[in-house]
Every structure is written in C-alpha cells, then in structure tokens.
C-alpha cells in the first residue's frame, strides 16, 4: 500500500497498457514489434496481479507468485518466438508481415 | 506428502519419464541408425498408454492445485491414445532424409506438449492451468516450424506462437480480474465467491476469448487454417485432434466447475459463438481445395458442435463432449492417416489430386469415406452418435432453434465431405495416384481408427461409462 495513491491509478495504467498492447499487435507490421506488444500485455497483467494482491489482499501471496510465473513463461515465449523470427528472416530475408504471408484463404 | 500421493500424477510422471528415455536413446544410437528411434519411441509410448488404462487412485495434490478424478483420467487416456495413433502415422514422414537428424526432437516435443495438456486438464487453480496451457502451446510452435527449410512451415510457426501469445495475454488479463474480484486463484475458493458482477462477466469474456483461440472458435480462428496448412501433416493432425481436444476438455471443466453459477450470463455468449463457428467454418470449408485447409475448417466446424454440448451444462453435456472428442480422435485421425499416406507416396495434398484414387487404392478410399461419413454424422458410424448426444444435451435445456441451426449446418457439411468422396470415386483422370502400400505402422494405425469408428459407435457401454464418471464429477 502506497500512501496517497489509490488503487485506481494503477488499474488505469495497467488497462491502458493492455489496450496499447492489443492495438500494437493489430496495427504494427513488424514481427519483433508484435512480440513487444505481447510483452506489454503480459506486463499489464503483472501490474494487475501485484496491485490487487498488495491493495486488496495484503495477507496472502498468490498474486505475487502468479506474476513471477508469468515473467518466466514470457521469457520462454520470447525465446521461442525470436528463434522462429530468425528462421523467418533466413527464409524470407524480411520480418515484415506483408512479406511473410504466402498462405491466404 | 507420501510417495503414494505423488503417484496420483502417474500419467504426467510416465510421460516425463518417456521423454527423458527418448532423449537418452538419442545419445545411445549410432549416427546412421537414427531411424531406429521411431519404433522404439512408438513402442515406449504404447507402453505408457497401456499403463495409463490401469485403474488408479484419485485425489488432490499440492493444496488443491492438482486434482484427478476418474473423468480426468479418462480424458488423459483418450489423449494418449490419439498421440499413439499419430506416432504410428508419422513414421513415413520422419524417415525422409531431411528429418533424419531430428527424429527424437519430434517425439520429445510432442510428449512435452502432452504433459502440459495433462496438467491443464488436472489443474485445480488458475496458475497450474496457465502453466499447463503454455507448456502445451510453446513447444507446439516449434513442432509446427519443424520443416524449417520450408517457408510455409516457418510462416505457420510464427503465426501460431504470436497468436497464441496474444490469446494467453488476453486470457491472463481475465484471470487477473477474477483474482481482483474474488481474492483467490483456486477454483474451490472462486466458486464460493463468484457472482454475476460486471467485473466477473468482463473477466469471463476475456477468458472465453483466450480459450477460443486454442479451440479455434470463430472470431478467433484466423490462425487455424494457415497453421494447419503450413505445418507438417502429422503435426497438423496433432494440433487438430490432441491440442483441440485437450483445450475443449479444459474449457468445459472450467466453465462448468468455476463459472457454473453464471450459466444465465454466459449461455448467450456461448450460443452466439456456437452459431457463428458452425456457420462461418462451413461456408469457408466449401471453397477449399487443399486437404489440410479443408480439414482445418472442418475441425473448426466440429468445435462449434462441441459448444452445443457445453451449453447443456450438466453431466449429460460433459459426457457428450468427452464422447464426441473420443469419436473425433478416431474419425479425424483416420482421415488424416489417409491424407498422410497419400502425401508420403505421391506428394499430393489437394482434393482435386485425389481423382480416381478408388481405382488404384480402393482400401484407402473406403477408409477415407468411412472417416468422412463419420465426420459428417451419417448414422451407422460413431460420428452420428457423437453429434446426436451433443444435440440431445443442448435440446435438454430447450435450445431448439440452436439445434435446428446445427442440423442445417451438418447438412451443409455433408456437401463438402461428399466433394472429397466424389473426387475419389466418380471423377476420372488419366493420371491417378499410382497404387502403393503403406508401411506396417501406418496400417496398424488405420486399423485402430476404423475399429474405433465402429466400436465406439456400437458399444453403448462406452457412453454409459463416460456418463457415469461425469456424474461423479458434478
């Protein structure tokens, strides 16, 4: 609990981060940037968990632990995704989405 | 915690052990004899599957994080069986020279994703559920990009990992809201505090959006067709059967167990998703010529039918979902098995390329016909009973219009399934696919599929058993 800062402030920040991430994922056309947008979403979730835990349920640790696991999983996800992006770059000589879409409906 | 309690995780422990044994076997075989791993791993997995069927204790572990019941054990056995059939079918593809270096990787990655799905099914809190979900999807992306020298495979891999990362992000946001509203991530505690407040409903919508990606329900299905087309064909069958089946199991468990009290609120959402999924997937399936894309849209449509069972929201609904997935395993793997052996023999994966297949390979054509009839739901085969129970469960809640829409969609789906059959039996061509013999393991897997299609349909004891264990679950 931080004196003088109500929970709403944190939640507004995290919600804005979440939707910036979703918009970024949809609008951006570069694979690395899309990956960064996903990381933004995951970090907004982390803020949510920590803030809920700290402000509403300070006597337990479930939210904190969930956050730690999300950080770990996000790292593995980024590792696999970047490996795949390197593979894409070798095949297509580009990581722009419009160049990497041979399959369409 | 005693050692006996630890063995409640028998399925998971066995699978992890199998993955480690395959890893050691990779070190033990000589450079030229890597293909020996294929029969070894398939045999090992057959053993794991057989041990899984031995009756076991049920209970909870880790303070409620991990729960088993006879229903979850049955679900894990169904998934094991499906993976065994896929392993038998993948021999021809793995023996190709470009894969000789990476045979054991395929087995290890597949088994690890299966471990993740098992944890997901058994989860008793949202943390275990999330970890299982990620363990099931991240290695799956590596599997999809397995043919790393082919640009389609690479493209499919990146599409899968990015869309699944987005979907799990959305799902997690929903979970964080649930945590904020109820103060717990354990299913048992959430059930006690859940109420139809706006924040919970918003969280449920995020949750459905995230799971909808995994089951490929319609507004979230855009990755499915591309990934299925680009992935190697055995990985496609893995995604469309095992991955989707596990996600459907988990979705129904959590929706019934955690959100059961909110049925009045979520029924409209699931209703709308079911209608959209069935209709749009059927319309897209009409215009496909690539067999993998065709089966992708067909599997999206089948996911729409699964939602009908979930709408039942009672033990009949649960039983019909589990039974349908069991039928779907044999049916879809039968169709994929034929597509795989045709692809391995001739490199053809278009429906128009199947012309006159009946003249040269009558057995395979008949098998494909049985599988497609079962997918469409024609009476003598198991697919009919699967759909029948799903419709019954939706009708028992009074969704007559939804059932009518579903029946109409099943009729439309018959058109595109028959298109494949027409191509095989009626269309003439001067250069049909030459006659070929499949490998022994492929034939074993196809025999398993055919006998499964008929036995599961006719042996009423199987559905009775599933219904019994579903009753214990509620």
């Amino acid at each position: 609990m931080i004196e003088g800062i109500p929970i709403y402030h944190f939640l507004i920040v995290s919600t804005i981060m979440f939707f910036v991430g979703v918009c970024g994922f949809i609008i951006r056309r570069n694979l690395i940037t899309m990956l960064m947008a996903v990381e933004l979403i995951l970090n907004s979730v982390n803020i949510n968990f920590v803030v809920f835990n700290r402000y509403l349920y300070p006597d337990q640790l479930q939210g904190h632990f969930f956050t730690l696991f999300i950080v770990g999983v996000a790292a593995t996800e980024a590792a696999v995704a970047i490996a795949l992006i390197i593979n894409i770059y070798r095949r297509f000589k580009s990581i722009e989405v419009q160049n990497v879409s041979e399959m369409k409906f | 915690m005693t050692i006996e309690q630890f063995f409640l995780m028998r399925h998971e422990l066995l699978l992890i052990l199998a993955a480690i044994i395959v890893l050691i076997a990779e070190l033990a075989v000589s450079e030229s004899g890597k293909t020996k791993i294929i029969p070894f791993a398939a045999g090992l997995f057959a053993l794991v599957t057989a041990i899984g069927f031995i009756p076991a204790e049920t209970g909870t572990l880790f303070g409620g994080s991990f729960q088993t019941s006879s229903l979850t054990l049955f679900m894990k056995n169904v998934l094991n069986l499906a993976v065994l059939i896929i392993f038998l079918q993948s021999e021809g593809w793995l023996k190709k020279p470009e894969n000789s270096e990476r045979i054991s990787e395929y087995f290890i990655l597949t088994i690890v994703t299966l471990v993740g799905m098992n944890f997901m099914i058994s989860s008793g809190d949202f943390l275990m559920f999330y970890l299982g979900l990620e363990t099931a999807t991240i290695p799956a992306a590596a599997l999809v990009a397995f043919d790393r020298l082919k640009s389609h495979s690479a493209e499919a891999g990146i599409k899968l990992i990015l869309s699944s990362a987005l979907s799990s992000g959305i799902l997690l946001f929903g979970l964080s809201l649930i945590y904020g509203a109820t103060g717990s991530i354990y299913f048992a505690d959430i059930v006690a505090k859940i109420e139809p407040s706006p924040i919970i409903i918003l969280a449920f919508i995020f949750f459905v959006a995230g799971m909808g990606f995994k089951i490929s329900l319609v507004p979230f299905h855009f990755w499915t067709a591309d990934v299925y087309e680009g992935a190697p064909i055995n990985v496609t069958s893995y995604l469309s059967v095992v991955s989707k089946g596990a996600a459907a199991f988990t979705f129904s468990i959590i929706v019934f167990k955690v959100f059961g009290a909110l049925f009045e609120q979520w029924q409209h959402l699931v209703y709308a998703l079911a209608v959209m999924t069935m209709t749009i997937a059927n319309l897209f399936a009409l215009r496909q010529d690539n067999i993998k894309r065709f089966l992708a849209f067909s599997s999206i449509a089948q996911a729409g039918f699964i939602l009908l069972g979930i709408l039942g929201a009672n033990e009949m609904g649960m039983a019909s979902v589990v039974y349908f997935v069991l039928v779907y395993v044999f049916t879809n793997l039968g169709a994929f098995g034929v597509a795989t052996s045709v692809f391995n023999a001739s490199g053809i994966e278009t429906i128009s390329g199947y012309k006159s297949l009946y003249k040269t390979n009558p057995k395979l054509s008949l098998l494909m016909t049985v599988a497609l009839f079962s997918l469409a739901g024609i009476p003598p085969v198991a697919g009919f009973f699967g759909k029948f129970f799903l419709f019954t469960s939706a009708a028992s809640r009074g969704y007559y219009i939804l059932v009518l829409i579903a029946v109409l969609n099943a009729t439309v789906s018959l058109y595109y399934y028959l298109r494949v059959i027409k191509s095989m039996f009626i269309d003439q061509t001067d250069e049909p696919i030459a006659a070929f013999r499949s490998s022994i393991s492929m034939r074993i897997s196809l025999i398993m599929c055919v006998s499964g299609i008929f036995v599961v349909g006719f042996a009423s004891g199987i559905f009775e058993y599933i219904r019994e264990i579903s009753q214990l679950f509620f």
Side-chain angles (χ1 to χ4, degrees):
Chain A
M1 191 89 67
I2 304 169
E3 285 299 318
I5 304 181
I7 185 169
Y8 306 105
H9 293 200
F10 290 100
L11 294 183
I12 289 167
V13 168
S14 79
T15 312
I16 289 173
M17 261 174 84
F18 176 78
F19 284 103
V20 167
V22 172
C23 287
F25 188 86
I26 296 166
I27 293 167
R28 287 308 186 114
R29 301 286 73 179
N30 181 301
L31 290 174
I32 301 272
T33 328
M34 287 167 81
L35 191 65
M36 285 159 63
V38 171
E39 298 291 322
L40 213 54
I41 295 175
L42 292 175
N43 282 331
S44 79
V45 175
N46 285 344
I47 294 178
N48 256 0
F49 267 115
V50 171
V51 165
F52 281 137
N53 197 342
R54 193 89 173 83
Y55 275 74
L56 301 179
Y57 313 104
D59 52 334
Q60 43 151 303
L61 287 169
Q62 289 172 3
H64 292 312
F65 275 105
F66 213 122
T67 305
L68 289 177
F69 278 100
I70 293 172
V71 171
V73 171
T76 58
E77 214 156 44
V80 175
I82 288 172
L84 292 174
I85 291 171
I86 291 171
N87 191 24
I88 286 274
Y89 184 73
R90 287 189 183 144
R91 299 277 82 72
F92 295 86
K93 298 282 171 257
S94 164
I95 52 168
E96 297 295 316
V97 171
Q98 64 266 28
N99 300 332
V100 193
S101 64
E102 294 185 347
M103 293 179 287
K104 280 187 183 136
F105 41 151
Chain B
M1 193 168 81
T2 62
I3 194 83
E4 283 82 20
Q5 280 178 309
F6 202 58
F7 282 119
L8 288 175
M9 303 203 299
R10 192 185 55 178
H11 279 84
E12 292 79 7
L13 293 174
L14 277 174
L15 287 171
I16 294 168
L17 193 68
I20 294 170
I21 291 174
V22 174
L23 191 64
I24 295 169
E26 160 79 16
L27 298 173
V29 294
S30 63
E31 203 61 36
S32 56
K34 295 270 188 204
T35 49
K36 282 182 205 147
I37 294 176
I38 303 171
F40 173 73
L44 187 70
F45 200 84
L47 191 68
V48 170
T49 311
I51 296 173
F53 276 99
I54 299 171
E57 296 276 309
T58 58
T60 58
L61 273 180
F62 309 124
S65 287
F66 183 91
Q67 306 172 332
T68 58
S69 65
S70 33
L71 187 67
T72 59
L73 289 179
F74 185 80
M75 288 169 173
K76 290 173 190 173
N77 285 333
V78 172
L79 297 182
N80 273 351
L81 206 57
V83 173
L84 176 64
I85 295 175
I86 292 168
F87 278 176
L88 290 174
Q89 288 179 351
S90 33
E91 188 193 6
W93 168 62
L94 286 173
K95 275 192 173 159
K96 287 184 180 171
E98 70 262 27
N99 290 326
S100 61
E101 285 293 306
R102 298 174 289 148
I103 291 170
S104 58
E105 286 174 32
Y106 169 74
F107 289 109
I108 293 168
L109 286 173
T110 314
I111 294 173
V112 167
T113 53
L114 188 61
V115 173
M117 288 166 201
N118 282 357
F119 275 118
M120 190 164 86
I121 289 171
S122 272
S123 57
D125 67 7
F126 277 122
L127 181 56
M128 184 68 100
F129 160 74
Y130 170 65
L131 291 178
L133 189 75
E134 290 297 340
T135 319
T137 42
I138 295 175
L143 274 177
V144 167
F146 202 78
D147 279 343
R148 65 194 156 90
L149 300 178
K150 288 187 184 149
S151 51
H152 273 189
S153 187
E155 184 189 332
I158 197 72
K159 279 180 175 165
L160 177 64
I161 188 98
L162 282 180
S163 50
S164 76
L166 175 70
S167 72
S168 50
I170 294 172
L171 186 138
L172 275 174
F173 197 78
L175 298 189
S176 75
L177 293 182
I178 292 177
Y179 176 67
T182 62
S184 178
I185 54 171
Y186 287 92
F187 293 167
D189 299 344
I190 294 172
V191 173
K193 287 192 189 144
I194 204 159
E195 57 186 20
S197 59
I199 191 167
I200 292 277
I201 291 172
L202 184 64
F204 181 75
I205 291 170
F206 279 126
F207 174 76
V208 171
M211 285 307 281
F213 267 101
K214 313 285 175 198
I215 322 178
S216 58
L217 302 176
V218 148
F220 322 109
H221 71 291
F222 292 103
W223 61 276
T224 317
D226 289 352
V227 171
Y228 283 19
E229 184 187 344
I233 192 158
N234 298 108
V235 177
T236 306
S237 56
Y238 181 76
L239 286 178
S240 89
V241 175
V242 183
S243 193
K244 174 174 290 203
F249 285 153
T250 317
F251 183 62
S252 47
I253 288 177
I254 292 182
V255 158
F256 292 160
K257 207 192 252 178
V258 183
F259 298 102
L262 301 181
F263 177 75
E264 286 301 317
Q265 279 74 34
W266 61 253
Q267 54 167 337
H268 308 293
L269 181 64
V270 177
Y271 192 113
L273 283 177
V275 173
M276 277 198 295
T277 307
M278 288 184 295
T279 316
I280 294 176
N282 273 338
L283 293 180
F284 272 98
L286 292 177
R287 59 191 289 276
Q288 303 302 330
D289 189 45
N290 183 302
I291 189 84
K292 286 194 301 194
R293 275 189 101 81
F294 163 77
L295 285 169
F297 280 106
S298 131
S299 83
I300 299 173
Q302 307 285 342
F305 289 113
I306 290 178
L307 287 185
L308 259 73
I310 291 175
L311 267 178
N314 50 18
E315 88 275 352
M316 177 67 191
M318 191 79 209
S320 64
V321 170
V322 176
Y323 182 77
F324 186 81
V325 173
L326 175 64
V327 172
Y328 180 72
V329 163
F330 292 116
T331 309
N332 222 20
L333 287 181
F336 267 111
V338 176
T340 308
S341 46
V342 169
F343 178 70
N344 285 340
S346 63
I348 288 174
E349 51 178 31
T350 54
I351 295 173
S352 48
Y354 280 33
K355 281 177 185 162
S356 299
L357 187 69
Y358 177 67
K359 291 235 175 71
T360 50
N361 297 291
K363 281 183 199 160
L364 278 182
S365 317
L366 280 175
L367 202 156
M368 188 70 153
T369 311
V370 170
L372 292 176
F373 274 163
S374 180
L375 278 175
I378 303 284
V381 280
F384 167 73
F385 299 100
K387 282 215 174 73
F388 179 75
F389 291 129
L390 288 176
F391 293 171
T392 316
S393 119
S396 70
R397 286 262 176 182
Y399 297 109
Y400 297 116
I401 295 172
L402 180 63
V403 172
L404 183 70
I405 296 171
V407 171
L408 287 177
N409 269 305
T411 320
V412 173
S413 74
L414 192 59
Y415 167 75
Y416 57 76
Y417 291 126
L418 283 177
R419 215 158 55 93
V420 182
I421 295 168
K422 170 173 168 283
S423 177
M424 290 189 302
F425 285 87
I426 299 172
D427 287 355
Q428 300 295 328
T429 177
D430 296 334
E431 294 166 348
I433 298 164
F436 61 87
R437 279 181 78 76
S438 312
S439 63
I440 294 173
S441 64
M442 174 61 90
R443 268 183 277 167
I444 295 172
S445 80
L446 290 179
I447 289 167
M448 281 168 76
C449 291
V450 176
S451 45
I453 290 173
F454 284 106
V455 170
V456 175
F458 282 114
S460 61
I462 295 175
F463 184 74
E464 292 298 321
Y465 174 70
I466 296 173
R467 185 144 189 201
E468 208 173 288
I469 55 180
S470 310
Q471 258 159 357
L472 294 176
F473 178 77
F474 273 89

Coordinates of all heavy atoms in Angstrom, one line a residue, chain B residues 121-148:
Chain B
I121 N -5.6 -30.2 -17.9 CA -6.9 -30.9 -17.6 C -7.0 -31.1 -16.1 O -8.1 -31.0 -15.5 CB -6.9 -32.3 -18.3 CG1 -7.1 -32.0 -19.8 CG2 -8.0 -33.1 -17.8 CD1 -6.9 -33.2 -20.6
S122 N -5.9 -31.4 -15.4 CA -6.0 -31.8 -14.0 C -5.9 -30.5 -13.1 O -5.9 -30.7 -11.9 CB -4.8 -32.7 -13.6 OG -5.2 -34.0 -13.8
S123 N -5.8 -29.3 -13.6 CA -5.5 -28.2 -12.8 C -6.6 -27.9 -11.8 O -7.8 -28.1 -12.1 CB -5.3 -27.0 -13.7 OG -6.4 -26.7 -14.5
G124 N -6.2 -27.5 -10.6 CA -7.2 -27.1 -9.6 C -7.1 -25.6 -9.3 O -7.9 -25.1 -8.5
D125 N -6.2 -24.9 -9.9 CA -6.2 -23.4 -9.8 C -5.7 -22.8 -11.1 O -5.2 -23.5 -12.0 CB -5.3 -23.0 -8.6 CG -3.8 -23.3 -8.9 OD1 -3.5 -23.7 -10.0 OD2 -3.0 -23.1 -7.9
F126 N -5.8 -21.5 -11.2 CA -5.6 -20.9 -12.5 C -4.1 -20.8 -12.8 O -3.7 -20.8 -14.0 CB -6.2 -19.5 -12.5 CG -7.6 -19.5 -12.9 CD1 -8.6 -19.0 -12.1 CD2 -8.0 -20.1 -14.1 CE1 -9.9 -19.0 -12.4 CE2 -9.3 -20.1 -14.5 CZ -10.3 -19.6 -13.6
L127 N -3.2 -20.9 -11.8 CA -1.8 -20.9 -12.0 C -1.4 -22.2 -12.8 O -0.7 -22.2 -13.8 CB -1.0 -20.7 -10.7 CG 0.5 -20.7 -10.9 CD1 0.9 -19.6 -11.8 CD2 1.2 -20.4 -9.5
M128 N -1.8 -23.3 -12.2 CA -1.5 -24.6 -12.8 C -2.1 -24.7 -14.2 O -1.4 -25.2 -15.2 CB -2.0 -25.7 -12.0 CG -1.7 -27.1 -12.4 SD 0.0 -27.4 -12.3 CE 0.1 -28.4 -10.8
F129 N -3.3 -24.2 -14.4 CA -4.0 -24.1 -15.7 C -3.1 -23.3 -16.7 O -2.9 -23.8 -17.8 CB -5.3 -23.5 -15.5 CG -6.0 -23.0 -16.8 CD1 -6.4 -23.9 -17.7 CD2 -6.0 -21.6 -17.0 CE1 -7.0 -23.4 -18.9 CE2 -6.6 -21.1 -18.1 CZ -7.1 -22.0 -19.1
Y130 N -2.6 -22.2 -16.3 CA -1.9 -21.3 -17.2 C -0.6 -22.0 -17.5 O -0.2 -22.0 -18.7 CB -1.6 -19.9 -16.5 CG -0.7 -19.1 -17.2 CD1 -1.0 -18.6 -18.5 CD2 0.5 -18.7 -16.7 CE1 -0.1 -17.8 -19.2 CE2 1.4 -17.9 -17.4 CZ 1.1 -17.5 -18.6 OH 2.0 -16.7 -19.3
L131 N 0.1 -22.6 -16.6 CA 1.4 -23.2 -16.9 C 1.2 -24.4 -17.8 O 2.0 -24.6 -18.8 CB 2.1 -23.7 -15.6 CG 2.6 -22.6 -14.7 CD1 3.2 -23.1 -13.4 CD2 3.6 -21.7 -15.4
G132 N 0.2 -25.2 -17.6 CA -0.1 -26.3 -18.5 C -0.4 -25.8 -19.9 O 0.1 -26.3 -20.9
L133 N -1.2 -24.7 -20.0 CA -1.6 -24.1 -21.3 C -0.3 -23.7 -22.0 O -0.2 -24.0 -23.2 CB -2.5 -22.9 -21.0 CG -3.1 -22.3 -22.2 CD1 -4.2 -23.2 -22.7 CD2 -3.7 -21.0 -21.9
E134 N 0.6 -23.1 -21.3 CA 1.8 -22.6 -22.0 C 2.7 -23.8 -22.4 O 3.4 -23.8 -23.4 CB 2.6 -21.6 -21.2 CG 1.8 -20.2 -21.0 CD 1.7 -19.5 -22.4 OE1 2.4 -19.8 -23.3 OE2 0.8 -18.7 -22.4
T135 N 2.8 -24.7 -21.5 CA 3.6 -25.9 -21.8 C 3.1 -26.6 -23.0 O 3.8 -27.3 -23.8 CB 3.7 -26.9 -20.6 OG1 3.8 -26.1 -19.4 CG2 4.8 -27.9 -20.7
A136 N 1.8 -26.5 -23.2 CA 1.2 -27.2 -24.3 C 1.3 -26.4 -25.6 O 1.3 -27.0 -26.7 CB -0.3 -27.4 -24.1
T137 N 1.5 -25.1 -25.6 CA 1.5 -24.3 -26.8 C 2.9 -23.9 -27.3 O 3.1 -23.9 -28.5 CB 0.6 -23.0 -26.7 OG1 0.9 -22.4 -25.5 CG2 -0.8 -23.3 -26.9
I138 N 3.8 -23.6 -26.4 CA 5.1 -23.1 -26.8 C 5.9 -24.2 -27.6 O 6.3 -24.0 -28.7 CB 5.9 -22.5 -25.7 CG1 5.2 -21.3 -25.1 CG2 7.3 -22.2 -26.1 CD1 5.8 -20.7 -23.9
P139 N 6.0 -25.5 -27.1 CA 6.6 -26.5 -27.9 C 5.9 -26.8 -29.2 O 6.5 -27.2 -30.2 CB 6.7 -27.7 -27.0 CG 6.5 -27.2 -25.7 CD 5.6 -26.0 -25.8
A140 N 4.5 -26.6 -29.2 CA 3.7 -26.8 -30.4 C 4.2 -25.9 -31.5 O 4.2 -26.3 -32.7 CB 2.3 -26.7 -30.1
A141 N 4.6 -24.7 -31.2 CA 5.0 -23.8 -32.2 C 6.3 -24.3 -32.8 O 6.5 -24.2 -34.0 CB 5.2 -22.4 -31.6
A142 N 7.2 -24.8 -32.0 CA 8.4 -25.4 -32.5 C 8.1 -26.6 -33.4 O 8.8 -26.8 -34.4 CB 9.3 -25.8 -31.4
L143 N 7.1 -27.4 -33.0 CA 6.7 -28.5 -33.8 C 6.2 -28.1 -35.2 O 6.5 -28.7 -36.2 CB 5.6 -29.3 -33.1 CG 6.0 -30.4 -32.2 CD1 4.8 -31.0 -31.5 CD2 6.8 -31.5 -32.9
V144 N 5.4 -27.0 -35.2 CA 4.8 -26.5 -36.4 C 5.9 -26.1 -37.4 O 5.8 -26.3 -38.6 CB 3.8 -25.4 -36.1 CG1 3.4 -24.7 -37.4 CG2 2.6 -26.0 -35.5
A145 N 6.9 -25.4 -36.8 CA 8.0 -25.0 -37.7 C 9.1 -26.0 -37.9 O 10.2 -25.7 -38.2 CB 8.7 -23.7 -37.1
F146 N 8.7 -27.3 -37.7 CA 9.7 -28.4 -37.8 C 10.4 -28.5 -39.1 O 11.6 -28.7 -39.2 CB 8.9 -29.7 -37.5 CG 9.8 -30.8 -36.9 CD1 10.3 -30.8 -35.6 CD2 10.3 -31.8 -37.8 CE1 11.1 -31.8 -35.2 CE2 11.1 -32.8 -37.3 CZ 11.5 -32.8 -36.0
D147 N 9.6 -28.3 -40.2 CA 10.2 -28.3 -41.6 C 10.9 -27.0 -41.8 O 10.4 -26.2 -42.6 CB 9.2 -28.6 -42.6 CG 8.8 -30.1 -42.8 OD1 9.6 -30.9 -42.3 OD2 7.8 -30.4 -43.3
R148 N 12.0 -26.7 -41.1 CA 12.5 -25.3 -41.1 C 13.0 -24.9 -42.4 O 13.2 -23.7 -42.6 CB 13.5 -25.1 -39.9 CG 14.7 -25.9 -40.1 CD 15.5 -25.9 -38.9 NE 16.4 -27.1 -38.9 CZ 17.7 -27.0 -39.4 NH1 18.1 -25.9 -39.8 NH2 18.4 -28.1 -39.4

